[in-house]
Structures are given as C-alpha cells and as structure tokens.
C-alpha cells in the first residue's frame, strides 16, 4: 500500500520526467538525414562533436568536426548556421547532448539530434568518409 511520501515521490518523479522530455532535442533518423543530404536544396549542417581522431576514423560526408568541449568557444564560427537545421551527433549521444544544450542556449533555433548517433549510423551500414 502506498503512503503519502511514496505518492509524493512518484508525482515528483513524473513531473520531472515530463519536464525533461519536453526539453529534449528533436531527432532525425539516419535514413531521413541521408535522404536530406542527397537533396539538392537542403540547408542542413551536420556537426560531428567527437574528437579529431574519431572523426578521422570515419564520419558522415560533409560533417563539420568540432569537439563538444570547443563548441562554446567556437560559437562565432558557428553563428552563420544559427537559423539552419543543425544535426548534431557523437558516438553514442552524451557529448552531442552537451553540445546541443550549448547551441540552443545561445540562440540556435533548429538543433536536431541524429537518432542513434554514429553507432547507429554504423550499425545501419550507412556510408562514412575517412580522412
């Protein structure tokens, strides 16, 4: 049987979870991104926030590489994409989430997360470019 503390904790958890999900970055699937990148009129910018070494081992064609740790320092360079669709990915999602927070808190209006990140891209056997 539930007591008042348990019910309060459950309600608090549900409210917190809802707030977190409401602020979650929209996502784009690998296939949708691949199709959009092949369209001639696309205005999508792909931002790979992994390390230079990871990027060199394989990345999505046309992706800009900028470590998640340097996104804030490079906002001036990224400002030209402020109103573009900016698709962000890393290896598994954590670093991309950090970069997305920096971008959205600095006025980027259309930040999108690549579903599955690079791990998902590779699992789907989609094309990569190596340096």
């Amino acid at each position: 049987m539930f007591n008042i503390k348990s019910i309060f904790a459950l309600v608090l958890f549900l409210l917190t979870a809802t707030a977190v999900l409401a602020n979650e970055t929209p996502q784009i699937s690998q296939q949708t991104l691949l199709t959009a990148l092949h369209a001639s009129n696309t205005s999508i910018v792909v931002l790979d926030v992994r390390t230079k070494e990871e990027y060199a081992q394989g990345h999505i064609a046309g992706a800009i590489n900028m470590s998640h740790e340097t996104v804030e320092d490079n906002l001036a360079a990224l400002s030209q994409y402020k109103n573009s669709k900016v698709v962000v990915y890393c290896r598994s999602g954590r670093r991309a989430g950090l970069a997305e927070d920096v971008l959205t808190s600095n006025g980027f209006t259309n930040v999108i997360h690549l579903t599955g990140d690079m791990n998902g891209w590779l699992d789907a056997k989609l094309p990569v470019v190596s340096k």
Side-chain angles (χ1 to χ4, degrees):
M1 186 138 209
F2 288 110
N3 63 29
I4 280 291
K5 285 184 181 180
S6 297
I7 293 172
F8 180 73
L10 179 61
V11 169
L12 184 60
F13 170 77
L14 291 174
L15 288 173
T16 304
T18 302
V20 168
L21 292 175
N23 292 328
E24 189 173 290
T25 303
Q27 296 201 10
I28 186 170
S29 71
Q30 294 98 357
Q31 200 58 50
T32 301
L33 176 59
L34 190 60
T35 301
L37 291 174
H38 286 106
S40 60
N41 61 348
T42 188
S43 62
I44 292 180
V45 176
V46 181
L47 184 61
D48 182 327
V49 296
R50 299 176 301 152
T51 65
K52 288 179 184 177
E53 294 79 19
E54 289 172 300
Y55 181 82
Q57 290 173 2
H59 58 273
I60 297 171
I64 298 167
N65 181 228
M66 185 176 295
S67 166
H68 77 287
E69 295 173 331
T70 64
V71 169
E72 192 162 18
D73 295 335
N74 289 292
L75 286 170
L78 292 170
S79 67
Q80 62 185 313
Y81 307 119
K82 218 169 199 177
N83 296 313
S84 301
K85 292 179 183 174
V86 180
V87 177
V88 183
Y89 74 92
C90 64
R91 184 182 56 81
S92 62
R94 184 187 68 77
R95 294 175 286 179
L98 295 170
E100 291 159 5
D101 288 344
V102 170
L103 293 171
T104 56
S105 66
N106 283 281
F108 285 75
T109 58
N110 205 350
V111 177
I112 306 167
H113 186 95
L114 177 62
T115 303
D117 294 276
M118 192 57 156
N119 285 341
W121 189 269
L122 294 172
D123 288 346
K125 300 189 184 339
L126 294 172
V128 294
V129 176
S130 298
K131 269 192 162 182

